Amino acid sequence: MNAPLVHQPPCGGIELRQEQGQRAVFCGLTGIVWLHRKIQDAFFLVVGSRTCAHLIQSAAGVMIFAEPRFATAIIDERDLAGLADANEELDRVVTRLIERRPDIKLLFLVGSCPSEVIKLDLSRAAQRLSSRLNPVRVLNYSGSGIETTFTQGEDACLAALVPDLPREADAAAPSLLVVGALADVVEDQFLRMFSAMGIADVRFLPARRANAMPAIGRNTRYLLAQPFLTDTARALEERGARRLPAPFPLGAEGTTGWLRAAAEAFGVSDATFEAATAPGRARAETALAPQREQLGGKRVFFFPDSQLEVPLARFLARELGAELVEVGTPYLHRGHLAAEIELLPAGTRVTEGQSLDDQMDRCRAARPDLTVCGLGLANPLEAEGLSTKWSIELLFTPVQGYEQAGDLAELFVRPLRRRALLEV
């Protein structure tokens, strides 16, 4: 039975409400699709069912003759019935995998709903296999869809990396760590921007290769590039790193605020900051101008899915003139999102959690111009005449930074353009 909607105290001028009930979200296994592209010598082995394998294969669009850096060790009926030793089977599969793919330097054992059902201890398995397969490092994390959303897969993966990161010397000069999987082109753009500001020691988590993971310590200052990295942030702070509060680098405004947080922490002068960021801001404004004409005044409804909803809502409202009907998000970390919440238009309705039927009713009643939701809701809403944008597409596409601001806006324009063409 659905829990009633709970009104929360005022939070930065927004109308914050919480609800509980049935949800519609992908599981954390989906994060493998972008993580395996990022860490170029890592392999992700899902310990799960055929359904898990089909999900990842479908989400990645991998052709049958491709050799991606992820796979599924299938748990079958014999494992579920306790007729086979799952640990022996896992050791055999991993050994064969490493023999076939000697380029693997980092192996993630990724838990799933089936592996959790049979209580398979992947943490112990990872320790055992790391000792046996040295120098290949074996780590584990859970991508189970039980009580998680799909972006939490990345959070769990990065949090699993943190305990093994090298320790930065206590006497080291302050360094900047950017946390969250970014496309290589976006990383390179940010590196050039930080360099222009005079910030030389910039590292990224995750790194592109397993042996290049960043050192961290008490002199590490970190910026979150994604709002869903709660466990990773906690693990970093336990190692002594300190978060720089900032909005997220979506759109010109968010990117400027994100970069400014680093500039202030590293003593960059206003003149240097302006010189480094002005060209990028100008290009972003030029790219956003035509999109603003199409999105200005359009009413947008967000279903909770990716945890990107609050920064995206800020971008649409403040930089493109859209009207926010409701901003649903699976979880709202008030500390990490404080800067974003302050930038939302006063009175914005933000709903944390989900009661699917109730939220569907509110969406149908509002008839927004654009609905941002998961794949499972898109087709039913499209059939009812509503334009939708798949939220998962915003994770697969480079959208951070000045140079991608126009591309980000274009992702929201396309469904409206498609609807207009269909109506002709």
Side-chain angles (χ1 to χ4, degrees), residues 8-88:
Q8 295 293 310
C11 180
I14 66 172
E15 181 190 343
L16 175 60
R17 303 195 287 180
Q18 290 181 327
E19 63 182 7
Q20 296 178 342
Q22 185 181 7
R23 302 178 304 151
V25 293
F26 267 161
C27 72
L29 297 178
T30 320
I32 291 170
V33 176
W34 60 88
L35 287 167
H36 94 280
R37 297 173 183 168
K38 184 63 196 174
I39 313 174
Q40 297 167 8
D41 53 0
F43 195 97
F44 294 79
L45 182 64
V46 177
V47 184
S49 65
R50 296 187 189 280
T51 301
C52 302
H54 292 320
L55 168 67
I56 304 169
Q57 198 98 9
S58 298
V62 178
M63 296 182 183
I64 194 168
F65 52 78
E67 192 169 37
R69 283 179 287 102
F70 60 84
T72 304
I74 303 295
I75 295 175
D76 60 20
E77 290 80 2
R78 295 178 70 247
D79 299 303
L80 293 171
L83 299 177
D85 188 321
N87 281 292
E88 287 185 5

Side-chain angles (χ1 to χ4, degrees), residues 19-314:
E19 63 182 7
Q20 296 178 342
Q22 185 181 7
R23 302 178 304 151
V25 293
F26 267 161
C27 72
L29 297 178
T30 320
I32 291 170
V33 176
W34 60 88
L35 287 167
H36 94 280
R37 297 173 183 168
K38 184 63 196 174
I39 313 174
Q40 297 167 8
D41 53 0
F43 195 97
F44 294 79
L45 182 64
V46 177
V47 184
S49 65
R50 296 187 189 280
T51 301
C52 302
H54 292 320
L55 168 67
I56 304 169
Q57 198 98 9
S58 298
V62 178
M63 296 182 183
I64 194 168
F65 52 78
E67 192 169 37
R69 283 179 287 102
F70 60 84
T72 304
I74 303 295
I75 295 175
D76 60 20
E77 290 80 2
R78 295 178 70 247
D79 299 303
L80 293 171
L83 299 177
D85 188 321
N87 281 292
E88 287 185 5
E89 290 290 308
L90 180 60
D91 287 9
R92 181 180 59 80
V93 169
V94 169
T95 300
R96 187 173 63 184
L97 171 65
I98 298 300
E99 289 173 351
R100 179 182 175 185
R101 302 288 295 273
D103 55 308
I104 298 171
K105 298 296 184 288
L106 175 61
L107 174 65
F108 289 100
L109 302 179
V110 187
S112 65
C113 300
S115 69
E116 292 187 1
V117 166
I118 66 171
K119 309 297 184 186
L120 184 58
D121 190 341
L122 291 183
S123 175
R124 182 173 295 178
Q127 294 175 8
R128 179 178 68 248
L129 288 165
S130 278
S131 299
R132 181 181 303 174
L133 300 172
N134 186 52
V136 177
R137 291 168 57 210
V138 184
L139 300 175
N140 78 286
Y141 72 90
S142 174
S144 166
I146 301 174
E147 295 299 319
T148 63
T149 62
F150 76 94
T151 51
Q152 286 178 280
E154 178 179 337
D155 188 22
C157 175
L158 300 192
L161 282 170
V162 172
D164 284 349
L165 294 178
R167 175 159 293 281
E168 189 177 58
D170 290 340
S175 61
L176 177 62
L177 179 67
V178 176
V179 184
L182 296 171
D184 289 353
V185 64
V186 176
E187 271 192 15
D188 292 341
Q189 290 166 6
F190 283 146
L191 273 175
R192 289 193 293 270
M193 198 78 65
F194 289 127
S195 178
M197 288 191 285
I199 305 174
D201 191 356
V202 182
R203 308 161 188 180
F204 292 86
L205 180 67
R208 300 181 192 183
R209 303 197 72 81
N211 63 359
M213 293 296 169
I216 58 170
R218 288 185 294 180
N219 292 312
T220 304
R221 309 291 180 262
Y222 73 91
L223 280 171
L224 289 177
Q226 304 285 14
F228 45 75
L229 301 175
T230 305
D231 290 344
T232 305
R234 185 182 303 114
L236 287 168
E237 287 167 12
E238 288 173 355
R239 293 283 307 269
R242 193 178 77 195
R243 183 177 67 88
L244 302 179
F248 291 89
L250 299 176
E253 181 181 44
T255 300
T256 300
W258 190 77
L259 292 169
R260 188 178 294 280
E264 291 175 352
F266 285 81
V268 178
S269 70
D270 290 343
T272 301
F273 179 79
E274 180 66 22
T277 59
R281 291 203 312 271
R283 289 192 295 272
E285 284 298 328
T286 299
L288 290 174
Q291 320 288 17
R292 193 175 294 118
E293 294 180 7
Q294 308 225 27
L295 287 165
K298 292 296 189 291
R299 301 169 66 250
V300 183
F301 191 108
F302 283 88
F303 278 86
D305 200 49
S306 68
Q307 298 188 63
L308 284 170
E309 290 84 9
V310 172
L312 289 171
R314 181 265 305 159

